[in-house]
Amino acid sequence: MDVDSRLLRSFVAVAEEGNLTRAAERLFLSQPALTKQIKQLEQLLGVRLFTRSRSGMALTGPGHALAERAPGVLAAVDTAVRETRSAGRAEARVLRVGFLASAANEATQDIVADFGRRRPGLRVELRQAAWSNPTAGLADGEVDAALLRLPFPGQDTYRVEVLLTEERMAVLPSGHALAGRERLDFPELWDEPFIAAPPTTGPFCDYWLAAEARPADRPAKIGAVTDQPDEWLSAIANGYGIALAPASAARFYARPGVTYVPVDGVAPTSVGVAWAPADDENPVVRDFVRSCLRAVARSPEARTSGP
């Protein structure tokens, strides 16, 4: 019998939080997806791990036994995978850096150039991830560091340096009745259909729907779900819905049929460089972080407008 480590991670989150909603938020999953994973793990093991009630999720006897062992097992797996991959990358003289589409910016070339001066002969390999992978490979140990939108899954378990902050904008079909406005108030968009990230990303999806800025009786209407910038832009241009995006998207993702309008009433968004605590003493990773901070400090456009 093989138990996916992903199921164990979900189990540990529920066991520690004692609540499905909080665990789902911590994992950046939807609650139905998390419930399905817990049921799948129980079926694989042939035991009930939790008793469910209105007050939360309580561990059963078998659940307690697993809760005592699972964190250590996961930590050992994570360490082995990370060290193996890191050794392979060190041997190849490559630093792999994951990023989400909107988290690479005008400073990225300067970051790579500065790192090259610090580490001659070491190459930075940038890997773009889909929105369904909001840690850009960091959680799986596929990359050594990542340029990410904050917040991201499990952010509290990583080291993060905030690089810049920018406002969020409304992204509308150019023919939309509001596309000609100089600024918008977010309540004007409550009843519009939105283009959303995959629902399995949970709070990440909610963040880009600005769920925190909506009244409880006005949840977002979903016009389409996309996982890549090109799909996202096409859905907006074709009138399936609108979206929120970083202000920098107006520069990086300008295209006919799509209009960006500043919007009030939603919190700004930030970009950070993130890495695993196990790499705190890794001089190569630390040099990359230093390069990020130096390049952003020297880039007024990136610093004031974002990635």
Side-chain angles (χ1 to χ4, degrees):
M1 176 186 62
D2 294 325
V3 175
D4 189 334
S5 63
R6 175 177 54 97
L7 300 181
L8 280 182
R9 293 183 200 284
S10 294
F11 164 78
V12 169
V14 177
E16 291 178 350
E17 298 292 342
N19 180 281
L20 276 171
T21 300
R22 290 196 300 269
E25 290 174 353
R26 169 173 155 181
L27 295 167
F28 275 55
L29 288 173
S30 67
Q31 189 169 319
L34 178 57
T35 299
K36 183 178 180 180
Q37 289 183 7
I38 295 301
K39 288 181 178 178
Q40 184 180 350
L41 181 60
E42 288 178 329
Q43 290 170 356
L44 283 170
L45 297 176
V47 296
R48 288 191 66 185
L49 299 171
F50 297 97
T51 56
R52 299 160 178 81
S53 69
R54 290 184 178 180
S55 60
M57 304 285 285
L59 288 165
T60 62
H64 276 292
L66 184 60
E68 290 178 1
R69 297 281 186 174
V73 170
L74 290 172
V77 169
D78 288 344
T79 299
V81 169
R82 186 178 296 110
E83 289 180 352
T84 301
R85 287 174 168 166
S86 180
R89 293 193 284 268
E91 188 174 288
R93 304 286 291 166
V94 172
L95 180 77
R96 289 183 182 163
V97 178
F99 71 96
L100 295 187
S102 63
N105 55 63
E106 287 91 345
T108 302
Q109 291 180 337
D110 289 339
I111 291 172
V112 174
D114 186 87
F115 181 78
R117 289 189 290 271
R118 294 175 187 270
R119 292 282 171 174
L122 228 163
R123 177 171 58 88
V124 174
E125 183 179 292
L126 292 167
R127 293 188 165 193
Q128 182 173 340
W131 291 320
S132 56
N133 181 10
T135 67
L138 193 61
D140 299 326
E142 294 178 357
V143 297
D144 303 291
L147 297 169
L148 302 174
R149 282 282 160 192
L150 312 181
F152 65 88
Q155 182 173 323
D156 292 344
T157 65
Y158 296 97
R159 303 290 190 248
V160 178
E161 286 281 359
V162 178
L163 300 180
L164 49 95
T165 299
E166 59 182 327
E167 69 175 344
R168 285 189 279 180
M169 301 182 77
V171 192
L172 311 168
S174 294
H176 194 283
L178 299 175
R181 294 271 296 278
E182 291 188 4
R183 293 194 74 88
L184 295 167
D185 290 317
F186 188 57
E188 296 180 86
L189 305 177
W190 284 349
D191 294 326
E192 297 284 341
F194 270 66
I195 310 301
T200 53
T201 61
F204 182 81
C205 173
D206 290 342
Y207 178 79
W208 288 102
L209 296 172
E212 78 287 351
R214 298 173 179 273
D217 61 348
R218 303 288 282 278
K221 300 176 182 177
I222 307 302
V225 174
T226 61
D227 201 20
Q228 299 284 351
D230 287 343
E231 298 172 357
W232 177 77
L233 287 167
S234 293
I236 296 170
N238 289 325
Y240 293 118
I242 68 170
L244 293 175
S248 54
R251 301 191 301 275
F252 287 98
Y253 297 107
R255 60 160 284 176
V258 173
T259 298
Y260 295 83
V261 182
V263 59
D264 296 318
V266 293
T269 177
S270 297
V271 168
V273 57
W275 67 98
D279 285 325
D280 275 347
E281 303 304 319
N282 184 326
V284 176
V285 171
R286 296 302 305 174
D287 276 350
F288 180 77
V289 174
R290 293 187 186 99
S291 292
C292 289
L293 294 170
R294 178 180 174 84
V296 170
R298 294 172 59 185
S299 174
E301 185 174 19
R303 187 169 63 249
T304 58
S305 300

